[in-house]
Amino acid sequence: MLKNNTVMTGINLGRTQIRAKNGEHAHHIHDMLKANTGLERLHISRWDMKDSDTFILCRALRENTTLLHLDLSSNRIGIDGARYLAEYLGTNPPLLTLNLKANRILDEGAESLGRALTHLNRTLHRLNVQHNEIGSIGLCALARALRNNSALYFLLTWGNDFDPKASEEFAYLLGGTVPRFSGGGGGALDVKTAVVDGVTYSAFVALPDRLGLPYARDTIKV
């Protein structure tokens, strides 16, 4: 059904009990994405997806022209998986939302995404990389990418390692030099910054649920 359906626009595979051996589930998703011409939202949360599965997924995504929102949260995607996704984003696909919350892309993975956002991608609107063990280098790369990228309006990064240097980069975004992240600009970050005794610190800002991955009524839960 999932491989040939052209009517449904959303599929939620999150937390499903369906499992396949040796990464075969990634191949099934690959076939579904290639065949489905109406799919706009795909939730693949808590599927134990690894970098090799992400490679297979990205191969299919390059052939899919309808997907707008992709949820890959709470998997086992690492540095290589983030690189595959960055290469996919570099093709300027129609994708508007990418949720990578609670994976392990580290600094190197964040840098790959940052390069794609800086030099290539002009379509992604929302990116969530919360809780990915990203350090100062990766956070700075993402923050600097937003100086050159005018399409990304919502960046969620909390739960990573904000040191003063990373906090300074985000303070720059919030200070008015990037208008969409200043008051009334329409964009949002999930951090705020403050200077105490000459040192810049970051704190968490809760954003409205509407900034999460869209989940419509016609989404099928498998």
Side-chain angles (χ1 to χ4, degrees), residues 27-136:
H27 289 283
H28 295 321
I29 294 172
H30 172 276
D31 294 342
M32 176 192 66
L33 282 170
K34 287 182 64 176
N36 192 298
T37 58
L39 191 65
E40 296 178 356
R41 295 176 305 281
L42 179 59
H43 304 254
I44 321 175
S45 178
R46 292 180 171 85
W47 251 53
D48 197 35
M49 286 191 66
K50 305 177 183 65
D51 289 342
S52 57
D53 302 315
T54 309
F55 175 79
I56 296 169
L57 173 65
C58 289
R59 190 172 61 189
L61 288 173
R62 288 173 179 266
E63 301 180 46
N64 181 286
T65 60
T66 61
L67 194 69
L68 301 178
H69 310 287
L70 177 61
D71 178 5
L72 297 174
S73 61
S74 300
N75 281 294
R76 296 174 62 187
I77 298 171
I79 295 170
D80 288 339
R83 177 167 55 84
Y84 301 142
L85 287 164
E87 291 172 354
Y88 161 64
L89 291 175
T91 66
N92 268 312
L95 193 72
L96 299 176
T97 306
L98 177 59
N99 185 356
L100 287 172
K101 179 180 179 180
N103 281 280
R104 194 171 181 269
I105 69 171
L106 307 180
D107 281 330
E108 294 91 334
E111 285 184 294
S112 293
L113 293 172
R115 283 191 293 270
L117 293 171
T118 299
H119 302 294
L120 300 170
N121 185 275
R122 293 297 182 266
T123 53
L124 194 69
H125 195 63
R126 292 183 286 261
L127 175 63
N128 187 340
V129 291
Q130 293 175 329
H131 303 286
N132 263 275
E133 300 183 36
I134 303 171
S136 179

Side-chain angles (χ1 to χ4, degrees), residues 178-205:
V178 182
R180 66 186 183 279
F181 294 116
S182 59
L189 305 173
D190 65 341
V191 298
K192 61 182 178 181
T193 61
V195 179
V196 180
D197 295 330
V199 180
T200 306
Y201 296 93
S202 295
F204 174 65
V205 174

